[in-house]
Amino acid sequence: MSYDFRAVELKWQRIWKEKKRYEAKPDERKKFFITVAWPYPSGPMHVGHARTYTFPDVIARYKRLKGYNVLFPMGWHLTGSPIVGAVSRLKGGDEKFIRLVKEVYEMSDEDIQSIKEPIDYARYFIDKSDLGYKRGMESLGLSIDWSKEFTSITPTYSKEVEWQYRKFLEKDLVTVGSHPVKFCPKDNNPVTDHDLLEGEGVDIQEFFVIEYECTIEEETIFLPAATLRPETIFGVTNLWLKKNSTYVIAKVDGKQWLLSKEAARNLSYQKSIEIIREIDSSALEGKSVLNPITKESVPIICADFVQTDVATGVVGSVPAHAPYDLVALKGSIAPKSVIEVEGYSEVPARDIVRKMGIKGEEEREKLDEATRKLYRDERLKGKMIIEYRDFYGKSVEWAQKAIEEELVAMDRGTTIYEFTKKPVVCRCGTECVVKLVSDQWFIRYSDEKWKSSVREWLKDMSLIPPETRNYFSNVIDWLRDWPFTRLVGMGTKVPWAKEWIIESLSDSTIYMSYYTIADVMNNASIEVDDDFFEYIFLSRDNRWKGNEIAERAKAAFSYWYPLDYRVSALELIPNHLTFMIFHHTALFKKEHWPKGIISLGLVILEGKMMHSSSGVIYPVAQSVNDFGADVTRFYLLYSVEPWQNFDWRGAEARGIARQLQHFYDIATEIIDMKKNGEKEGNEKEHIDLWLLSTLAKKMDAYMDNMENFRTRAALQIAFYDLMNDYRWYVRRGGNDPEVLNKLLERWLTMLYPFIPHLCEELWELQGHREPISCYLEAPSIDEGSLKEESYLITLFDDIKAALQALPLEPETIYIYCIPGEEGMIDEDFLKKEFSSDVSVQPLNRISHDPKGRAKRAKKGKPALYMEGRDGAE
RNA sequence: GCGGGGGUAGCCAAGUCGGGUCAAAGGCGACAGGCUUAAGACCUGCUCCAGUAGUGGUUCGAGGGUUCAAAUCCCUUCCCCCGCACCA
């Protein structure tokens, strides 16, 4: 009978919803609380997301089978700028984006018209669109408790975020400082990589600026040379300015600097700059400047290769170690070596220029490469060879730091920021600059005390897969202060600085705690404050004590918390997952710190990365439509373990549909046998005992895998292994309806977490009134039947293998076995299987052995001899 | 550069921690046969090479080593993927 996946799935989804099957309330049972990263609904839900959410569903369903009271909730992450950006692109008539939205996201003109605010766009992808997340999750049959749904901008939740950050302020875990960002001068806003036309992935680099004093028209002017290698200051032979170019004299943080015109503009986003007058570089050629460290006087020289739009437009020249400088000087000034490095002569820059065959300063690509290579070698292996204080013999890295400190101390050094690659262009067409955002707030993850408490807790956490432990530990080590405030996007405002918004990763670190109380809060209309959270989370007595809402929330929190498992992605370990641990340790009592983290791998589509923005996606809605929810779920879990990367291939999904259909057919046959009352209550034969015993073994293995989240291994056992066992049973003549129904009962239970609709349906057809549960106890194991059957299977395989190498049709198969083993050989079965006569001859009763094969018989492995139909062997 | 993961038969992917039972699970694909009016459905078989007997040979990125024995342990080397922070 053809099984209608969709019809049955919709039926059960309706029943689950009507009976509120997955709404979890505290009770006397053991609890299991699992959460998964809430989606950011900025586009369609695709099969990659489907795996992320199906995996915890499988675990949740399994835990329910094991008798746990399970909470598996869901919410929506709306914080941040992409949704806001999408809406402005929609409204601004961005053609490329509108085409994507229409063709891939299936938005109609009306849909687009209806979107006025960012929240409308988010809502569209939550539950309005067929491709939306909530619909996708429901169509997959996820056992989510929707009564606890909320978003990251739900007002009461924002109150919790505010509480969290005020606590941080109190505990001195936040600090204010400055931070460089990519910035569009026209939009007057920071830009993210997604907002860029050009320059995606370009980094911001910190340059050190050395101020060289110079007297110009009787004024003291500083020439700020930007460099990545301040230690080479000992080898500076001259300064470079761009030939015939307009420079300016400007007041920068109280001092007079000479800057290129472009630099003055760019740097005005980092420092206070007041331009005094312009001056052409030619007017400065030949003047000399004072090296602040060596006190030497070196000349200013103009050259073409200087880029006025990079850094300051003033460059220190170190011909011994900088290929550009060496080439540009053309030997007019002798290089001064300051670093000695293995594999190079006294003037390393000359070596590499010769080796790479660089002819002139116009060969920029080669010069850039030479610069990179030389810098790497010198930094890694170089030693300082200058006689200055204790510098001689020290590493380049050490010297760099020492010089920086010294220059800063003598007020001749500072830092500026610059892109690693230019240009960086905003979507609006304007070239971006590096802006130094002052009064940017940071979370002080660098705090050693905080780090060590996180490290301590990490030891006790269950981390899946185990390799992630190391990863976490490294992340904790190199985690720096995190700027958590933004100027754009949706989110919660920083309570003490309302012009700032708390950015998306930073407002989602402890939201799991809110799930525990979300249903209470969703149905209450009260104004909460910090005290409220102090009371329910930390049991600090205050005016909320005795308040009905607060008491209910408190009870729910105490019951559900801590979080048992957080399900997320491998790529979130360097930020979100680690932040979560940090924040919990800082805010909650130790008994409420998260117990485990499962990090999932990514999903690719037919070998390609899926990106909603590129349109390379396979939406969940389509998969469910094409194959059904159970097939989609099964397929997402059967081929690799959750933490491995998964490649979605349509051809394989089709194969699964056939297999599940087949399973359905077998199951209904078994059910019909029972209905027809065939052979009820007979004494159990060997093969019946074998089936139940092997089933019991498989159940053990299944549970061992499920407990360790190896869903793939568990599913392989629960489906394919049992399918093979079933086939073998039937092949061996097994047909006891009672035994088969027992098998099916367990089979359905084991498969239920993976393909719940199909299992519920068959469970009902089998005549059960109650929902599937508690059928995970295995039948007893009859070791004897297992042993006997495996003897026969080995024999069967041997005969098959031998026959394969022979071109004959066997007339008689002679089997020579150790005396006593003959009882395990089912002659009738072998006769039937090989359409041949079978003669079993124990070694002490041999009657026919023309080739003397009997002597090859071993314990557990009989010897064989076969005679063909034509008389010939 | 730093950190993490990985390279297994036509493809995907187990196995590697705890060497042997590994020519190496499972799936997909291909092929053959069966069942059928027919089938993209199902069943059986087969898919490194050789073979008139359950076997032999050569394989697990490359090279070397340890061992009676290595896909599995050690060393060297090549290649691929991911993260490195304001992106959710």
Side-chain angles (χ1 to χ4, degrees):
Chain A
M1 194 195 339
S2 181
Y3 173 73
D4 186 344
F5 284 97
R6 275 323 275 156
V8 171
E9 286 163 7
L10 289 169
K11 166 186 161 188
W12 285 101
Q13 285 166 12
R14 204 192 62 237
I15 291 173
W16 295 337
K17 200 169 186 172
E18 279 169 5
K19 301 209 164 159
K20 302 186 174 186
R21 182 81 75 77
Y22 304 114
E23 287 189 17
K25 298 261 183 292
D27 61 24
E28 67 294 336
R29 283 177 294 167
K30 294 168 290 181
K31 65 91 186 178
F32 183 80
F33 181 23
I34 185 168
T35 68
V36 54
W38 50 3
Y40 185 79
S42 62
M45 180 181 182
H46 58 64
V47 289
H49 304 119
R51 178 162 85 142
T52 307
Y53 299 107
T54 301
F55 170 74
D57 182 61
V58 170
I59 299 305
R61 288 179 182 275
Y62 171 75
K63 289 289 178 183
R64 288 191 194 100
L65 288 181
K66 296 286 283 182
Y68 286 88
N69 187 11
V70 173
L71 174 56
F72 175 36
M74 191 60 62
W76 312 103
H77 195 200
L78 306 185
T79 311
S81 54
I83 289 177
V84 178
V87 172
S88 70
R89 247 167 270 161
L90 228 44
K91 286 181 161 174
D94 181 332
E95 278 177 38
K96 197 169 148 226
F97 185 66
I98 289 175
R99 200 179 319 124
L100 175 81
V101 147
K102 283 187 171 172
E103 287 171 12
V104 181
Y105 299 5
E106 297 179 7
M107 268 194 195
S108 66
D109 285 320
E110 283 156 56
D111 290 332
I112 295 174
Q113 287 303 315
S114 74
I115 290 169
K116 306 229 156 38
E117 298 296 322
I119 189 71
D120 301 330
Y121 185 89
R123 276 286 150 212
Y124 181 83
F125 284 111
I126 291 173
D127 49 21
K128 199 171 159 203
S129 164
D130 285 340
L131 304 184
Y133 281 83
K134 191 167 181 181
R135 293 221 188 156
M137 290 175 184
E138 283 175 334
S139 74
L140 283 167
L142 302 188
S143 59
I144 291 167
D145 177 353
W146 290 110
S147 73
K148 296 180 174 62
E149 183 181 357
F150 70 101
T151 80
S152 64
I153 58 169
T154 296
T156 333
Y157 174 67
S158 276
K159 292 287 183 197
E160 182 182 327
V161 176
E162 286 180 22
W163 165 75
Q164 174 182 7
Y165 280 86
R166 268 196 287 261
K167 293 286 280 187
F168 283 157
L169 192 63
E170 227 172 77
K171 289 169 183 274
D172 193 26
L173 293 174
V174 291
T175 182
V176 69
S178 57
H179 186 70
V181 295
K182 288 176 191 165
F183 189 85
C184 172
K186 186 169 165 242
D187 296 349
N188 199 31
N189 245 327
V191 290
T192 67
D193 260 5
H194 300 298
D195 302 328
L196 294 177
L197 222 52
E198 204 178 327
E200 204 169 318
V202 168
D203 277 329
I204 294 171
Q205 201 167 25
E206 187 178 310
F207 278 86
F208 195 75
V209 173
I210 301 169
E211 296 167 277
Y212 293 85
E213 197 177 320
C214 177
T215 307
I216 298 171
E217 292 164 20
E218 302 186 352
E219 275 184 303
T220 298
I221 308 286
F222 291 97
L223 271 64
T227 177
L228 293 169
R229 310 187 54 186
E231 80 284 3
T232 58
I233 189 169
F234 301 103
V236 169
T237 58
N238 60 290
L239 292 191
W240 297 111
L241 295 181
K242 173 85 170 179
K243 199 177 264 177
N244 300 323
S245 185
T246 309
Y247 277 70
V248 298
I249 291 172
K251 198 165 224 174
V252 179
D253 292 340
K255 269 191 248 175
Q256 304 228 61
W257 275 18
L258 180 81
L259 290 167
S260 70
K261 226 175 154 179
E262 295 88 335
R265 182 191 82 107
N266 289 342
L267 292 177
S268 67
Y269 292 92
Q270 298 179 33
K271 294 182 179 297
S272 101
I273 290 184
E274 186 192 329
I275 295 174
I276 295 168
R277 62 189 166 97
E278 294 190 351
I279 182 166
D280 198 89
S281 57
S282 56
L284 298 161
E285 175 120 41
K287 285 191 175 292
S288 48
V289 301
L290 184 70
N291 182 322
I293 294 283
T294 64
K295 310 293 183 203
E296 286 169 309
S297 185
V298 296
I300 296 171
I301 302 178
C302 293
D304 271 328
F305 78 94
V306 175
Q307 290 169 277
T308 51
D309 62 339
V310 174
T312 56
V314 180
V315 183
S317 169
V318 190
H321 303 286
Y324 265 110
D325 300 339
L326 183 86
V327 170
L329 279 172
K330 301 186 183 79
S332 58
I333 298 180
K336 257 175 76 184
S337 296
V338 301
I339 296 161
E340 175 184 80
V341 61
E342 201 191 310
Y344 291 90
S345 68
E346 200 192 329
V347 183
R350 187 181 291 145
D351 299 339
I352 198 155
V353 163
R354 279 190 188 148
K355 207 165 128 200
M356 293 181 63
I358 297 167
K359 299 276 175 333
E361 57 190 274
E362 65 288 342
E363 294 185 78
R364 286 191 172 273
E365 269 181 37
K366 279 185 174 179
L367 280 164
D368 283 340
E369 198 194 321
T371 304
R372 267 197 303 275
K373 180 165 174 15
L374 185 58
Y375 181 29
R376 195 167 59 223
D377 287 345
E378 291 188 339
R379 195 188 157 85
L380 242 53
K381 298 180 289 191
K383 292 270 177 286
M384 301 304 292
I385 48 162
I386 39 117
E387 297 288 353
Y388 178 76
R389 297 214 325 246
D390 54 346
F391 274 57
Y392 195 90
K394 289 278 171 43
S395 74
V396 168
E397 209 175 331
W398 179 90
Q400 210 165 75
K401 235 179 121 192
I403 281 292
E404 283 183 12
E405 279 168 17
E406 189 165 342
L407 283 167
V408 169
M410 65 198 288
D411 196 26
R412 288 292 176 273
T414 182
T415 54
I416 60 163
Y417 297 94
E418 182 55 283
F419 293 122
T420 51
K421 209 175 150 223
K422 283 196 164 183
V424 174
V425 183
C426 175
R427 218 174 256 278
C428 75
T430 313
E431 190 167 340
C432 296
V433 297
V434 178
K435 181 180 165 74
L436 198 61
V437 179
S438 52
D439 68 336
Q440 164 70 49
W441 287 84
F442 295 82
I443 305 174
R444 295 183 48 235
Y445 293 128
S446 63
D447 188 284
E448 259 317 308
K449 253 179 73 191
W450 200 2
K451 281 192 180 192
S452 63
S453 77
V454 171
R455 276 192 205 98
E456 266 313 295
W457 182 246
L458 192 74
K459 284 185 195 159
D460 291 337
M461 289 185 77
S462 161
L463 301 173
I464 313 285
E467 303 88 72
T468 56
R469 187 172 300 277
N470 224 341
Y471 194 1
F472 271 108
S473 164
N474 283 313
V475 170
I476 294 167
D477 286 346
W478 55 249
L479 203 60
R480 304 198 300 263
D481 290 351
W482 177 270
F484 71 93
T485 54
R486 295 287 182 280
L487 290 166
V488 288
M490 290 193 274
T492 302
K493 291 190 164 64
V494 176
W496 61 83
K498 298 284 190 188
E499 69 278 21
W500 290 102
I501 290 158
I502 295 167
E503 64 85 36
S504 59
L505 287 164
S506 303
D507 80 345
S508 300
T509 51
I510 58 162
Y511 70 98
M512 319 78 200
S513 61
Y514 192 85
Y515 280 131
T516 66
I517 61 167
D519 53 342
V520 176
M521 304 316 289
N522 285 346
N523 294 311
S525 49
I526 52 163
E527 277 282 311
V528 298
D529 55 15
D530 286 0
D531 278 350
F532 179 80
F533 296 104
E534 290 281 315
Y535 181 62
I536 62 172
F537 292 155
L538 302 173
S539 298
R540 297 248 163 85
D541 281 355
N542 57 39
R543 65 187 183 88
W544 287 97
K545 189 174 179 157
N547 174 286
E548 194 220 319
I549 303 287
E551 293 301 341
R552 272 169 49 211
K554 186 170 191 291
F557 173 77
S558 320
Y559 177 77
W560 293 114
Y561 237 51
L563 182 64
D564 290 280
Y565 275 98
R566 173 74 179 161
V567 177
S568 189
L570 237 27
E571 70 259 25
L572 290 175
I573 291 177
N575 45 58
H576 166 258
L577 288 169
T578 304
F579 294 178
M580 178 190 80
I581 310 174
F582 266 87
H583 287 225
H584 273 86
T585 64
L587 295 165
F588 291 96
K589 295 179 184 173
K590 195 165 183 178
E591 70 207 67
H592 290 144
W593 294 358
K595 287 160 75 176
I597 292 175
I598 304 169
S599 305
L600 305 181
L602 50 90
V603 176
I604 55 179
L605 179 63
E606 313 278 351
K608 287 195 287 282
M609 285 292 272
M610 272 191 276
H611 287 300
S612 295
S613 55
S614 66
V616 182
I617 53 165
Y618 184 53
V620 172
Q622 198 180 328
S623 177
V624 169
N625 191 47
D626 290 348
F627 309 112
D630 283 335
V631 172
T632 303
R633 296 169 60 104
F634 190 108
Y635 178 51
L636 283 168
L637 286 147
Y638 102 113
S639 93
V640 293
E641 296 296 359
W643 42 86
Q644 294 173 317
N645 294 345
F646 176 87
D647 189 2
W648 177 284
R649 287 155 184 261
E652 294 191 21
R654 274 189 289 283
I656 301 297
R658 291 199 296 266
Q659 290 165 12
L660 291 191
Q661 169 70 52
H662 185 223
F663 174 74
Y664 178 81
D665 292 341
I666 290 173
T668 47
E669 262 173 48
I670 291 174
I671 292 167
D672 286 345
M673 278 170 79
K674 192 175 184 184
K675 277 197 188 134
N676 301 337
E678 292 170 26
K679 207 186 163 192
E680 193 87 43
N682 280 3
E683 202 174 307
K684 295 293 163 276
E685 292 175 14
H686 157 77
I687 200 65
D688 297 328
L689 287 174
W690 173 80
L691 184 68
L692 294 175
S693 300
T694 196
L695 167 65
K697 289 255 173 192
K698 299 284 157 69
M699 287 181 77
D700 280 350
Y702 165 86
M703 279 188 273
D704 180 52
N705 282 309
M706 288 300 274
E707 294 294 334
N708 290 293
F709 308 103
R710 289 188 294 260
T711 47
R712 186 195 84 100
L715 185 53
Q716 295 270 342
I717 292 165
F719 193 78
Y720 295 103
D721 284 10
L722 287 183
M723 185 68 84
N724 285 337
D725 291 340
Y726 164 79
R727 280 194 191 134
W728 181 253
Y729 174 80
V730 171
R731 197 168 185 174
R732 293 276 283 115
N735 63 353
D736 185 320
E738 199 189 327
V739 168
L740 283 170
N741 274 282
K742 232 173 198 168
L743 167 76
L744 183 59
E745 228 165 46
R746 290 343 195 266
W747 206 349
L748 292 176
T749 313
M750 288 159 80
L751 289 175
Y752 166 77
F754 299 91
I755 46 171
H757 313 86
L758 178 54
C759 290
E760 289 257 32
E761 180 71 7
L762 288 166
W763 187 256
E764 190 182 63
L765 278 177
Q766 212 184 4
H768 297 281
R769 297 254 175 93
E770 296 302 311
I772 295 182
S773 61
C774 301
Y775 272 85
L776 277 176
E777 311 97 74
S780 59
I781 296 174
D782 178 63
E783 293 291 347
S785 67
L786 287 173
K787 218 181 104 197
E788 282 178 35
E789 201 59 22
S790 91
Y791 178 89
L792 186 75
I793 292 170
T794 308
L795 176 61
F796 177 79
D797 287 342
D798 279 352
I799 297 173
K800 234 168 48 182
L803 239 31
Q804 199 193 316
L806 283 172
L808 57 78
E809 291 266 314
E811 179 155 30
T812 311
I813 300 171
Y814 296 91
I815 300 169
Y816 312 103
C817 67
I818 305 290
E821 288 183 350
E822 66 271 20
M824 293 192 278
I825 301 169
D826 183 338
E827 284 181 47
D828 292 339
F829 169 68
L830 295 176
K831 269 183 198 163
K832 193 182 94 215
E833 284 295 324
F834 296 108
S835 317
S836 138
D837 261 341
V838 172
S839 168
V840 177
Q841 308 191 355
L843 293 182
N844 53 358
R845 277 178 280 144
I846 290 168
S847 58
H848 182 78
D849 181 19
K851 291 267 168 124
R853 305 247 188 231
K855 61 176 178 290
R856 294 170 69 166
K858 281 185 241 145
K859 184 161 179 284
K861 199 171 163 69
L864 299 173
Y865 172 63
M866 292 172 216
E867 274 177 357
R869 209 134 269 167
D870 311 327
E873 186 189 334

